[in-house]
Short mmCIF file of all heavy atoms in Angstrom, two decimals:
data_model
loop_
_atom_site.label_atom_id
_atom_site.label_comp_id
_atom_site.label_asym_id
_atom_site.label_seq_id
_atom_site.Cartn_x
_atom_site.Cartn_y
_atom_site.Cartn_z
N MET A 279 -14.72 -4.93 3.91
CA MET A 279 -13.38 -4.57 4.25
C MET A 279 -12.43 -5.68 4.21
O MET A 279 -11.28 -5.46 4.13
CB MET A 279 -13.36 -3.85 5.65
CG MET A 279 -13.75 -2.44 5.53
SD MET A 279 -12.98 -1.12 6.46
CE MET A 279 -12.13 -1.62 7.77
N LYS A 280 -12.93 -6.94 4.29
CA LYS A 280 -12.03 -8.06 4.27
C LYS A 280 -11.29 -8.14 2.93
O LYS A 280 -10.10 -8.45 2.93
CB LYS A 280 -12.83 -9.35 4.55
CG LYS A 280 -13.35 -9.49 5.91
CD LYS A 280 -14.07 -10.80 6.12
CE LYS A 280 -14.63 -10.89 7.53
NZ LYS A 280 -15.41 -12.07 7.66
N LEU A 281 -12.06 -7.94 1.81
CA LEU A 281 -11.36 -7.95 0.52
C LEU A 281 -10.39 -6.93 0.36
O LEU A 281 -9.19 -7.11 -0.05
CB LEU A 281 -12.49 -7.80 -0.61
CG LEU A 281 -11.94 -7.72 -2.07
CD1 LEU A 281 -11.07 -8.96 -2.34
CD2 LEU A 281 -13.05 -7.48 -2.92
N SER A 282 -10.63 -5.69 0.91
CA SER A 282 -9.65 -4.61 0.85
C SER A 282 -8.39 -4.99 1.61
O SER A 282 -7.27 -4.65 1.21
CB SER A 282 -10.30 -3.35 1.39
OG SER A 282 -9.47 -2.26 1.36
N GLN A 283 -8.55 -5.52 2.85
CA GLN A 283 -7.41 -5.89 3.62
C GLN A 283 -6.68 -7.04 2.95
O GLN A 283 -5.33 -6.94 3.02
CB GLN A 283 -7.85 -6.35 5.06
CG GLN A 283 -6.79 -6.65 5.96
CD GLN A 283 -5.85 -5.40 6.27
OE1 GLN A 283 -6.29 -4.26 6.29
NE2 GLN A 283 -4.56 -5.69 6.42
N ARG A 284 -7.32 -7.92 2.35
CA ARG A 284 -6.57 -8.99 1.68
C ARG A 284 -5.72 -8.50 0.46
O ARG A 284 -4.57 -8.82 0.29
CB ARG A 284 -7.47 -10.06 1.19
CG ARG A 284 -8.06 -10.98 2.27
CD ARG A 284 -8.70 -12.30 1.75
NE ARG A 284 -9.58 -12.17 0.60
CZ ARG A 284 -10.87 -12.05 0.56
NH1 ARG A 284 -11.48 -12.05 1.81
NH2 ARG A 284 -11.50 -11.93 -0.46
N ARG A 285 -6.34 -7.46 -0.27
CA ARG A 285 -5.58 -6.90 -1.31
C ARG A 285 -4.35 -6.09 -0.77
O ARG A 285 -3.29 -6.15 -1.35
CB ARG A 285 -6.42 -5.86 -2.08
CG ARG A 285 -7.46 -6.55 -2.94
CD ARG A 285 -8.33 -5.48 -3.67
NE ARG A 285 -9.21 -6.10 -4.62
CZ ARG A 285 -10.27 -5.61 -5.02
NH1 ARG A 285 -10.69 -4.49 -4.60
NH2 ARG A 285 -11.07 -6.23 -5.95
N ALA A 286 -4.49 -5.40 0.24
CA ALA A 286 -3.37 -4.67 0.89
C ALA A 286 -2.29 -5.58 1.33
O ALA A 286 -1.09 -5.37 1.07
CB ALA A 286 -3.90 -3.76 2.10
N GLU A 287 -2.72 -6.71 1.98
CA GLU A 287 -1.67 -7.71 2.38
C GLU A 287 -1.04 -8.33 1.22
O GLU A 287 0.19 -8.71 1.34
CB GLU A 287 -2.40 -8.78 3.28
CG GLU A 287 -2.77 -8.15 4.61
CD GLU A 287 -3.70 -8.99 5.39
OE1 GLU A 287 -4.05 -10.17 4.95
OE2 GLU A 287 -4.04 -8.59 6.52
N SER A 288 -1.70 -8.57 0.14
CA SER A 288 -1.18 -9.16 -1.09
C SER A 288 0.00 -8.24 -1.62
O SER A 288 1.10 -8.72 -2.04
CB SER A 288 -2.12 -9.37 -2.12
OG SER A 288 -1.64 -9.84 -3.30
N ILE A 289 -0.29 -6.88 -1.69
CA ILE A 289 0.68 -5.94 -2.14
C ILE A 289 1.84 -5.87 -1.23
O ILE A 289 3.07 -5.89 -1.66
CB ILE A 289 0.03 -4.48 -2.33
CG1 ILE A 289 -1.00 -4.50 -3.39
CG2 ILE A 289 1.14 -3.50 -2.59
CD1 ILE A 289 -0.53 -4.91 -4.76
N ALA A 290 1.66 -5.94 0.05
CA ALA A 290 2.65 -5.98 1.12
C ALA A 290 3.58 -7.14 0.88
O ALA A 290 4.83 -7.03 0.98
CB ALA A 290 2.15 -5.92 2.45
N LYS A 291 3.01 -8.34 0.70
CA LYS A 291 3.76 -9.52 0.44
C LYS A 291 4.61 -9.45 -0.79
O LYS A 291 5.74 -9.85 -0.84
CB LYS A 291 2.83 -10.73 0.36
CG LYS A 291 3.47 -11.99 0.35
CD LYS A 291 4.17 -12.27 1.76
CE LYS A 291 4.71 -13.66 1.77
NZ LYS A 291 5.52 -13.85 3.08
N ALA A 292 4.06 -8.81 -1.88
CA ALA A 292 4.83 -8.61 -3.11
C ALA A 292 6.05 -7.66 -2.93
O ALA A 292 7.12 -7.98 -3.41
CB ALA A 292 3.96 -8.06 -4.21
N LEU A 293 5.81 -6.65 -2.15
CA LEU A 293 6.96 -5.77 -1.85
C LEU A 293 7.99 -6.49 -1.08
O LEU A 293 9.29 -6.26 -1.34
CB LEU A 293 6.42 -4.53 -1.01
CG LEU A 293 5.52 -3.56 -1.69
CD1 LEU A 293 4.89 -2.57 -0.73
CD2 LEU A 293 6.26 -2.89 -2.80
N GLU A 294 7.62 -7.35 -0.24
CA GLU A 294 8.64 -8.16 0.59
C GLU A 294 9.35 -9.21 -0.32
O GLU A 294 10.59 -9.21 -0.45
CB GLU A 294 8.00 -8.85 1.67
CG GLU A 294 8.82 -9.65 2.55
CD GLU A 294 8.11 -10.38 3.62
OE1 GLU A 294 6.91 -10.20 3.81
OE2 GLU A 294 8.72 -11.15 4.30
N THR A 295 8.61 -10.00 -1.07
CA THR A 295 9.17 -11.09 -1.77
C THR A 295 9.78 -10.65 -3.13
O THR A 295 10.86 -11.22 -3.46
CB THR A 295 8.16 -12.18 -2.04
OG1 THR A 295 7.06 -11.68 -2.82
CG2 THR A 295 7.67 -12.83 -0.84
N ARG A 296 9.17 -9.85 -3.87
CA ARG A 296 9.70 -9.42 -5.18
C ARG A 296 10.74 -8.24 -5.17
O ARG A 296 11.52 -8.19 -6.02
CB ARG A 296 8.53 -9.05 -6.07
CG ARG A 296 7.63 -10.19 -6.39
CD ARG A 296 6.45 -9.79 -7.25
NE ARG A 296 6.90 -9.41 -8.58
CZ ARG A 296 6.18 -8.87 -9.48
NH1 ARG A 296 4.93 -8.54 -9.28
NH2 ARG A 296 6.63 -8.53 -10.64
N PHE A 297 10.58 -7.48 -4.14
CA PHE A 297 11.49 -6.28 -4.17
C PHE A 297 12.39 -6.28 -2.90
O PHE A 297 13.20 -5.31 -2.77
CB PHE A 297 10.65 -5.08 -4.12
CG PHE A 297 9.79 -4.85 -5.49
CD1 PHE A 297 8.45 -5.26 -5.44
CD2 PHE A 297 10.39 -4.50 -6.54
CE1 PHE A 297 7.75 -5.16 -6.57
CE2 PHE A 297 9.66 -4.43 -7.76
CZ PHE A 297 8.41 -4.79 -7.75
N GLY A 298 12.33 -7.22 -2.04
CA GLY A 298 13.32 -7.38 -0.94
C GLY A 298 13.15 -6.36 0.20
O GLY A 298 13.99 -6.13 0.92
N ILE A 299 11.94 -5.76 0.32
CA ILE A 299 11.75 -4.79 1.34
C ILE A 299 11.45 -5.66 2.67
O ILE A 299 10.62 -6.47 2.64
CB ILE A 299 10.59 -3.81 1.07
CG1 ILE A 299 11.00 -3.10 -0.20
CG2 ILE A 299 10.31 -2.92 2.26
CD1 ILE A 299 9.91 -2.22 -0.73
N ALA A 300 12.12 -5.35 3.74
CA ALA A 300 11.92 -6.04 4.98
C ALA A 300 10.46 -5.92 5.51
O ALA A 300 9.90 -4.82 5.43
CB ALA A 300 12.86 -5.54 6.09
N ALA A 301 9.95 -7.01 5.88
CA ALA A 301 8.45 -7.03 6.37
C ALA A 301 8.28 -6.10 7.49
O ALA A 301 7.11 -5.45 7.51
CB ALA A 301 8.12 -8.49 6.74
N GLU A 302 9.17 -5.78 8.39
CA GLU A 302 8.89 -4.95 9.46
C GLU A 302 8.82 -3.50 9.04
O GLU A 302 8.43 -2.62 9.79
CB GLU A 302 9.98 -5.11 10.50
CG GLU A 302 11.38 -4.96 10.19
CD GLU A 302 12.07 -6.22 9.71
OE1 GLU A 302 11.33 -7.36 9.69
OE2 GLU A 302 13.21 -6.23 9.42
N ARG A 303 9.24 -3.20 7.76
CA ARG A 303 9.11 -1.82 7.26
C ARG A 303 7.84 -1.59 6.41
O ARG A 303 7.70 -0.52 5.85
CB ARG A 303 10.37 -1.62 6.31
CG ARG A 303 11.64 -1.63 7.10
CD ARG A 303 12.85 -1.31 6.24
NE ARG A 303 12.68 0.07 5.71
CZ ARG A 303 13.26 0.53 4.57
NH1 ARG A 303 13.95 -0.31 3.90
NH2 ARG A 303 13.09 1.73 4.19
N ILE A 304 7.03 -2.61 6.35
CA ILE A 304 5.81 -2.57 5.50
C ILE A 304 4.56 -2.64 6.51
O ILE A 304 4.51 -3.50 7.29
CB ILE A 304 5.82 -3.71 4.48
CG1 ILE A 304 7.01 -3.63 3.58
CG2 ILE A 304 4.50 -3.64 3.71
CD1 ILE A 304 7.17 -4.86 2.75
N SER A 305 3.56 -1.88 6.21
CA SER A 305 2.26 -2.07 6.91
C SER A 305 1.23 -2.15 5.81
O SER A 305 1.33 -1.44 4.79
CB SER A 305 2.03 -0.99 7.80
OG SER A 305 1.91 0.32 7.31
N ALA A 306 0.19 -2.83 6.09
CA ALA A 306 -0.90 -2.91 5.12
C ALA A 306 -2.21 -2.58 5.77
O ALA A 306 -2.52 -3.16 6.85
CB ALA A 306 -0.94 -4.34 4.53
N ARG A 307 -3.04 -1.68 5.25
CA ARG A 307 -4.27 -1.32 5.81
C ARG A 307 -5.25 -1.31 4.67
O ARG A 307 -5.21 -0.59 3.72
CB ARG A 307 -4.31 0.08 6.46
CG ARG A 307 -3.52 0.01 7.75
CD ARG A 307 -3.48 1.34 8.46
NE ARG A 307 -2.74 2.36 7.67
CZ ARG A 307 -1.51 2.67 7.95
NH1 ARG A 307 -0.80 2.05 8.92
NH2 ARG A 307 -0.88 3.56 7.22
N GLY A 308 -6.41 -2.13 4.85
CA GLY A 308 -7.45 -2.07 3.83
C GLY A 308 -8.57 -1.20 4.38
O GLY A 308 -9.03 -1.45 5.48
N TYR A 309 -9.02 -0.20 3.67
CA TYR A 309 -10.02 0.68 4.12
C TYR A 309 -11.43 0.33 3.63
O TYR A 309 -12.38 0.92 4.10
CB TYR A 309 -9.62 2.11 3.79
CG TYR A 309 -8.52 2.62 4.56
CD1 TYR A 309 -7.25 2.84 3.94
CD2 TYR A 309 -8.54 2.93 5.87
CE1 TYR A 309 -6.15 3.29 4.60
CE2 TYR A 309 -7.43 3.29 6.56
CZ TYR A 309 -6.23 3.51 5.95
OH TYR A 309 -5.12 3.92 6.72
N GLY A 310 -11.50 -0.54 2.64
CA GLY A 310 -12.79 -0.85 2.05
C GLY A 310 -13.60 0.33 1.61
O GLY A 310 -13.10 1.22 0.98
N ILE A 311 -14.83 0.42 2.00
CA ILE A 311 -15.74 1.49 1.55
C ILE A 311 -15.66 2.72 2.46
O ILE A 311 -16.36 3.70 2.25
CB ILE A 311 -17.23 0.95 1.54
CG1 ILE A 311 -17.73 0.58 2.86
CG2 ILE A 311 -17.41 -0.09 0.44
CD1 ILE A 311 -19.20 0.33 2.94
N THR A 312 -14.74 2.78 3.34
CA THR A 312 -14.78 3.80 4.36
C THR A 312 -14.05 5.07 3.79
O THR A 312 -14.20 6.16 4.35
CB THR A 312 -14.02 3.44 5.65
OG1 THR A 312 -12.65 3.10 5.35
CG2 THR A 312 -14.72 2.27 6.32
N GLN A 313 -13.19 4.97 2.73
CA GLN A 313 -12.46 6.13 2.22
C GLN A 313 -12.46 6.05 0.71
O GLN A 313 -11.46 6.02 0.05
CB GLN A 313 -11.03 6.09 2.70
CG GLN A 313 -10.92 6.33 4.21
CD GLN A 313 -9.55 6.46 4.67
OE1 GLN A 313 -8.54 6.45 3.87
NE2 GLN A 313 -9.36 6.45 5.97
N PRO A 314 -13.63 6.28 0.05
CA PRO A 314 -13.68 6.28 -1.44
C PRO A 314 -13.13 7.52 -2.00
O PRO A 314 -13.27 8.54 -1.35
CB PRO A 314 -15.20 6.04 -1.69
CG PRO A 314 -15.89 6.68 -0.56
CD PRO A 314 -14.97 6.42 0.63
N LEU A 315 -12.54 7.44 -3.24
CA LEU A 315 -12.18 8.64 -3.95
C LEU A 315 -13.43 9.26 -4.57
O LEU A 315 -13.62 10.43 -4.56
CB LEU A 315 -11.21 8.24 -5.11
CG LEU A 315 -9.77 8.00 -4.66
CD1 LEU A 315 -9.02 7.57 -5.89
CD2 LEU A 315 -9.16 9.13 -3.98
N ILE A 316 -14.33 8.40 -5.14
CA ILE A 316 -15.52 8.79 -5.72
C ILE A 316 -16.70 8.00 -5.08
O ILE A 316 -16.73 6.75 -5.05
CB ILE A 316 -15.45 8.44 -7.24
CG1 ILE A 316 -14.27 9.10 -7.93
CG2 ILE A 316 -16.87 8.83 -7.97
CD1 ILE A 316 -14.12 8.76 -9.42
N PRO A 317 -17.65 8.74 -4.50
CA PRO A 317 -18.74 7.95 -3.87
C PRO A 317 -19.66 7.37 -4.90
O PRO A 317 -19.71 7.84 -6.08
CB PRO A 317 -19.47 9.14 -3.11
CG PRO A 317 -18.97 10.39 -3.72
CD PRO A 317 -17.70 10.15 -4.33
N GLY A 318 -20.30 6.36 -4.58
CA GLY A 318 -21.30 5.72 -5.51
C GLY A 318 -20.93 4.33 -5.89
O GLY A 318 -19.90 3.83 -5.39
N THR A 319 -21.73 3.71 -6.79
CA THR A 319 -21.49 2.36 -7.09
C THR A 319 -21.35 2.25 -8.67
O THR A 319 -21.50 1.12 -9.22
CB THR A 319 -22.62 1.43 -6.65
OG1 THR A 319 -23.86 1.89 -7.12
CG2 THR A 319 -22.54 1.41 -5.18
N SER A 320 -21.16 3.34 -9.42
CA SER A 320 -21.04 3.35 -10.80
C SER A 320 -19.75 2.58 -11.26
O SER A 320 -18.87 2.34 -10.40
CB SER A 320 -21.09 4.69 -11.45
OG SER A 320 -19.78 5.42 -11.05
N LYS A 321 -19.61 2.22 -12.47
CA LYS A 321 -18.46 1.51 -12.94
C LYS A 321 -17.23 2.48 -12.72
O LYS A 321 -16.12 2.00 -12.31
CB LYS A 321 -18.56 1.19 -14.41
CG LYS A 321 -19.38 -0.05 -14.66
CD LYS A 321 -19.27 -0.39 -16.20
CE LYS A 321 -20.12 -1.67 -16.49
NZ LYS A 321 -20.04 -2.00 -17.90
N GLU A 322 -17.39 3.76 -12.97
CA GLU A 322 -16.29 4.68 -12.84
C GLU A 322 -15.84 4.84 -11.38
O GLU A 322 -14.66 4.81 -11.01
CB GLU A 322 -16.67 6.07 -13.33
CG GLU A 322 -16.92 6.12 -14.84
CD GLU A 322 -18.23 5.62 -15.27
OE1 GLU A 322 -19.16 5.48 -14.45
OE2 GLU A 322 -18.37 5.22 -16.50
N ALA A 323 -16.85 4.88 -10.41
CA ALA A 323 -16.60 4.94 -8.98
C ALA A 323 -15.84 3.65 -8.55
O ALA A 323 -14.87 3.71 -7.84
CB ALA A 323 -17.82 5.24 -8.19
N ASN A 324 -16.40 2.49 -8.96
CA ASN A 324 -15.76 1.26 -8.56
C ASN A 324 -14.35 1.15 -9.04
O ASN A 324 -13.50 0.69 -8.33
CB ASN A 324 -16.62 0.01 -9.02
CG ASN A 324 -17.89 -0.10 -8.22
OD1 ASN A 324 -18.01 0.48 -7.20
ND2 ASN A 324 -18.90 -0.83 -8.82
N LYS A 325 -14.12 1.59 -10.30
CA LYS A 325 -12.78 1.53 -10.85
C LYS A 325 -11.81 2.40 -10.08
O LYS A 325 -10.68 2.01 -9.76
CB LYS A 325 -12.74 1.86 -12.29
CG LYS A 325 -11.47 1.76 -12.89
CD LYS A 325 -11.55 2.15 -14.42
CE LYS A 325 -10.16 1.98 -15.14
NZ LYS A 325 -10.23 2.28 -16.58
N ALA A 326 -12.19 3.61 -9.78
CA ALA A 326 -11.36 4.58 -9.08
C ALA A 326 -11.10 4.11 -7.68
O ALA A 326 -10.06 4.33 -7.11
CB ALA A 326 -11.95 5.90 -9.10
N ASN A 327 -12.06 3.48 -7.00
CA ASN A 327 -11.94 3.12 -5.60
C ASN A 327 -11.27 1.80 -5.39
O ASN A 327 -10.89 1.50 -4.32
CB ASN A 327 -13.34 3.10 -4.98
CG ASN A 327 -13.99 4.52 -4.90
OD1 ASN A 327 -13.34 5.47 -4.76
ND2 ASN A 327 -15.32 4.60 -5.09
N ARG A 328 -10.99 1.08 -6.44
CA ARG A 328 -10.26 -0.15 -6.42
C ARG A 328 -8.87 0.15 -6.71
O ARG A 328 -8.28 0.00 -7.77
CB ARG A 328 -10.80 -1.06 -7.42
CG ARG A 328 -10.28 -2.57 -7.26
CD ARG A 328 -10.88 -3.54 -8.30
NE ARG A 328 -12.38 -3.61 -8.23
CZ ARG A 328 -13.07 -3.27 -9.22
NH1 ARG A 328 -12.61 -2.89 -10.44
NH2 ARG A 328 -14.41 -3.26 -9.08
N ARG A 329 -8.10 0.60 -5.61
CA ARG A 329 -6.75 1.12 -5.77
C ARG A 329 -5.92 0.82 -4.62
O ARG A 329 -6.41 0.32 -3.64
CB ARG A 329 -6.90 2.61 -5.92
CG ARG A 329 -7.27 3.25 -4.53
CD ARG A 329 -7.59 4.73 -4.67
NE ARG A 329 -7.75 5.36 -3.41
CZ ARG A 329 -8.76 5.27 -2.60
NH1 ARG A 329 -9.83 4.50 -2.95
NH2 ARG A 329 -8.86 5.90 -1.49
N ILE A 330 -4.69 1.00 -4.82
CA ILE A 330 -3.78 0.98 -3.70
C ILE A 330 -3.01 2.33 -3.61
O ILE A 330 -2.94 3.02 -4.56
CB ILE A 330 -2.69 -0.11 -3.75
CG1 ILE A 330 -1.76 0.05 -4.96
CG2 ILE A 330 -3.39 -1.49 -3.91
CD1 ILE A 330 -0.32 -0.01 -4.60
N GLU A 331 -2.66 2.77 -2.40
CA GLU A 331 -1.89 3.87 -2.23
C GLU A 331 -0.62 3.44 -1.47
O GLU A 331 -0.79 2.73 -0.46
CB GLU A 331 -2.68 5.02 -1.50
CG GLU A 331 -3.85 5.46 -2.16
CD GLU A 331 -4.63 6.46 -1.40
OE1 GLU A 331 -4.11 6.99 -0.38
OE2 GLU A 331 -5.77 6.78 -1.88
N ALA A 332 0.50 3.94 -1.91
CA ALA A 332 1.81 3.58 -1.26
C ALA A 332 2.51 4.89 -0.79
O ALA A 332 2.48 5.86 -1.55
CB ALA A 332 2.58 2.73 -2.18
N GLU A 333 3.06 4.81 0.30
CA GLU A 333 3.94 5.93 0.80
C GLU A 333 5.30 5.35 1.07
O GLU A 333 5.40 4.36 1.84
CB GLU A 333 3.20 6.55 1.98
CG GLU A 333 3.98 7.73 2.55
CD GLU A 333 3.25 8.28 3.84
OE1 GLU A 333 2.02 8.30 3.88
OE2 GLU A 333 4.10 8.72 4.72
N ALA A 334 6.29 6.03 0.54
CA ALA A 334 7.70 5.59 0.76
C ALA A 334 8.47 6.65 1.39
O ALA A 334 8.30 7.80 1.04
CB ALA A 334 8.28 5.09 -0.54
N THR A 335 9.29 6.21 2.31
CA THR A 335 10.28 7.15 2.94
C THR A 335 11.64 6.63 2.64
O THR A 335 11.88 5.48 2.91
CB THR A 335 10.07 7.25 4.50
OG1 THR A 335 8.68 7.67 4.68
CG2 THR A 335 10.96 8.27 5.12
N VAL A 336 12.48 7.44 2.12
CA VAL A 336 13.81 7.03 1.81
C VAL A 336 14.77 7.60 2.83
O VAL A 336 14.66 8.77 3.22
CB VAL A 336 14.31 7.58 0.39
CG1 VAL A 336 15.73 7.24 0.14
CG2 VAL A 336 13.37 7.00 -0.64
N VAL A 337 15.59 6.70 3.43
CA VAL A 337 16.65 7.15 4.36
C VAL A 337 17.98 7.04 3.79
O VAL A 337 18.36 5.89 3.26
CB VAL A 337 16.52 6.23 5.68
CG1 VAL A 337 17.61 6.58 6.65
CG2 VAL A 337 15.11 6.34 6.24
N TYR A 338 18.75 8.12 3.72
CA TYR A 338 20.04 8.11 3.10
C TYR A 338 21.13 8.08 4.28
O TYR A 338 21.03 8.95 5.19
CB TYR A 338 20.25 9.32 2.30
CG TYR A 338 21.68 9.43 1.75
CD1 TYR A 338 22.12 8.61 0.76
CD2 TYR A 338 22.57 10.33 2.29
CE1 TYR A 338 23.40 8.64 0.31
CE2 TYR A 338 23.86 10.38 1.88
CZ TYR A 338 24.25 9.56 0.84
OH TYR A 338 25.57 9.65 0.43
N LEU A 339 21.87 7.05 4.27
CA LEU A 339 22.85 6.95 5.30
C LEU A 339 24.19 7.40 4.82
O LEU A 339 24.81 6.86 3.88
CB LEU A 339 23.03 5.47 5.81
CG LEU A 339 21.71 4.88 6.40
CD1 LEU A 339 21.95 3.46 6.76
CD2 LEU A 339 21.31 5.63 7.72
N ALA A 340 24.63 8.62 5.29
CA ALA A 340 25.90 9.12 4.83
C ALA A 340 27.06 8.41 5.52
O ALA A 340 26.99 8.05 6.68
CB ALA A 340 25.91 10.66 5.18
N PRO A 341 28.15 8.29 4.88
CA PRO A 341 29.33 7.76 5.49
C PRO A 341 29.84 8.59 6.64
O PRO A 341 29.87 9.77 6.53
CB PRO A 341 30.40 7.64 4.36
CG PRO A 341 29.93 8.52 3.26
CD PRO A 341 28.35 8.75 3.47
N ALA A 342 30.25 7.91 7.66
CA ALA A 342 30.74 8.58 8.87
C ALA A 342 32.21 8.98 8.68
O ALA A 342 33.04 8.11 8.21
CB ALA A 342 30.52 7.82 10.09
N PHE A 343 32.59 10.15 8.93
CA PHE A 343 33.98 10.54 8.92
C PHE A 343 34.67 10.45 10.27
O PHE A 343 34.05 10.86 11.26
CB PHE A 343 34.12 11.94 8.36
CG PHE A 343 33.66 12.15 6.98
CD1 PHE A 343 32.39 12.72 6.64
CD2 PHE A 343 34.46 11.70 5.89
CE1 PHE A 343 31.95 12.76 5.44
CE2 PHE A 343 34.07 11.86 4.59
CZ PHE A 343 32.76 12.38 4.34
N ARG A 344 35.81 9.92 10.31
CA ARG A 344 36.49 9.79 11.61
C ARG A 344 37.69 10.62 11.61
O ARG A 344 38.36 10.89 10.75
CB ARG A 344 36.88 8.29 11.89
CG ARG A 344 35.64 7.47 12.09
CD ARG A 344 36.03 6.09 12.39
NE ARG A 344 34.75 5.32 12.48
CZ ARG A 344 34.70 4.18 13.05
NH1 ARG A 344 35.79 3.73 13.62
NH2 ARG A 344 33.56 3.55 13.05
#
């Protein structure tokens, strides 16, 4: 799980530095072998399970009318 967590933190850092997303808006969780898409150790399973998943929420701030 250490490798998975390091990968997640690497992506989080890239979101912050390359795309300007505030660090407090980003969380990184590495799940390792605990949540595979495809069980097993075949090349196909390893490739599918070596992934990141991102969830984004967009907040639209409408102008206030006075």
Side-chain angles (χ1 to χ4, degrees):
M279 274 216 348
K280 290 179 183 180
L281 175 60
S282 179
Q283 185 61 35
R284 286 197 318 261
R285 285 180 174 154
E287 290 169 359
S288 176
I289 295 297
K291 190 68 173 171
L293 290 171
E294 181 184 355
T295 58
R296 294 178 66 192
F297 299 99
I299 299 172
E302 56 271 3
R303 297 183 62 206
I304 302 170
S305 64
R307 287 184 291 266
Y309 292 109
I311 62 172
T312 63
Q313 295 185 6
L315 286 177
I316 301 173
T319 58
S320 67
K321 284 186 178 183
E322 294 80 17
N324 287 341
K325 183 177 179 181
N327 294 328
R328 191 177 303 120
R329 70 190 189 282
I330 63 129
E331 295 179 12
E333 182 178 321
T335 303
V336 178
V337 177
Y338 175 74
L339 299 175
F343 294 101
R344 294 182 184 201

